[in-house]
Amino acid sequence: MKQPELGKKIIELRKKKGLTQEELVEKCNINVRTLQRIESGEVNPRSFTIKIIFETLDYNINNESLTEKQRLQKFIENSIGKFNNQIQNKNLMKNSKNFFHNYFLAIGIIWFFCALSIVIFKLNFQTKEILLTIIIPLAFSIFKKFTQSNSSELIDNKMEEN
């Protein structure tokens, strides 16, 4: 633990025990000014001084280390969770890209045949025919998306069984 957290922790523990600085100093056999400077965060005490103070205050420094380990573990778990979310978002974007790729590919093919039929058969398209050329590729893309999802799920299930 580093300053100023160390000083704050000693003040907190001392007050919980109901001790004054003078009483703590007597029990620890250290100088009053030293304790004042430690509590104010002015100095970094020697490790054996910290150990004596914490032993007097019945505080186990290993519990603090465990808490730090738990915080670190929680931070790592949160970081992994965020990383997984980013990967899932990337997969979602990839799936969306495939969906729109299929959609625009189907639109292009249908418009090609429409243009070809206009030239060959001298057809005149109405609004409903133009709307159908947009809706049909959309239906095709949705169908292809769901069949890809189902087939990939079937493959995953078969791999899990083996």
Side-chain angles (χ1 to χ4, degrees):
M1 190 180 309
K2 295 182 181 179
Q3 286 290 23
E5 293 86 19
L6 176 64
K8 290 177 183 176
K9 187 68 172 178
I10 291 172
I11 293 170
E12 175 190 331
L13 294 170
R14 180 175 55 79
K15 289 183 177 180
K16 277 185 184 178
K17 284 285 219 179
L19 297 173
T20 63
Q21 286 181 336
E22 290 78 20
E23 292 170 335
L24 182 58
V25 164
E26 286 177 23
K27 290 183 177 194
C28 295
N29 197 23
I30 60 173
N31 189 330
V32 174
R33 183 66 186 133
T34 304
L35 181 61
Q36 290 171 343
R37 292 174 62 201
I38 292 171
E39 286 186 352
S40 66
E42 294 175 20
V43 295
N44 287 321
R46 296 181 188 142
S47 60
F48 68 87
T49 305
I50 296 171
K51 184 178 178 184
I52 290 169
I53 293 171
F54 281 152
E55 284 177 359
T56 305
L57 295 171
D58 296 326
Y59 180 74
N60 188 352
I61 192 77
N62 293 329
N63 289 342
E64 187 68 27
S65 300
L66 181 62
T67 305
E68 288 295 322
K69 287 178 186 177
Q70 289 171 342
R71 285 186 201 144
L72 180 61
Q73 184 177 7
K74 190 171 186 175
F75 172 76
I76 290 171
E77 288 171 359
N78 288 341
S79 299
I80 291 171
K82 288 177 184 177
F83 184 69
N84 284 336
N85 287 340
Q86 289 176 346
I87 290 173
Q88 289 173 355
N89 287 341
K90 183 178 179 184
N91 289 338
L92 178 65
M93 290 180 70
K94 184 178 177 184
N95 290 339
S96 298
K97 179 181 171 187
N98 289 337
F99 174 79
F100 285 111
H101 173 76
N102 292 335
Y103 175 68
F104 289 116
L105 178 67
I107 284 180
I109 291 169
I110 289 178
W111 277 100
F112 171 77
F113 284 119
C114 289
L116 192 63
S117 63
I118 289 170
V119 170
I120 293 175
F121 302 112
K122 300 185 192 286
L123 297 176
N124 190 8
F125 285 111
Q126 301 293 322
T127 306
K128 64 181 178 182
E129 286 91 3
I130 293 172
L131 286 174
L132 284 175
T133 61
I134 294 171
I135 293 170
I136 291 172
L138 179 63
F140 168 76
S141 298
I142 291 171
F143 173 76
K144 191 165 183 179
K145 169 75 175 140
F146 283 115
T147 56
Q148 284 177 348
S149 296
N150 290 339
S151 64
S152 65
E153 287 175 10
L154 289 172
I155 291 170
D156 290 341
N157 289 341
K158 286 181 181 180
M159 293 179 96
E160 288 177 5
E161 289 175 2
N162 293 334

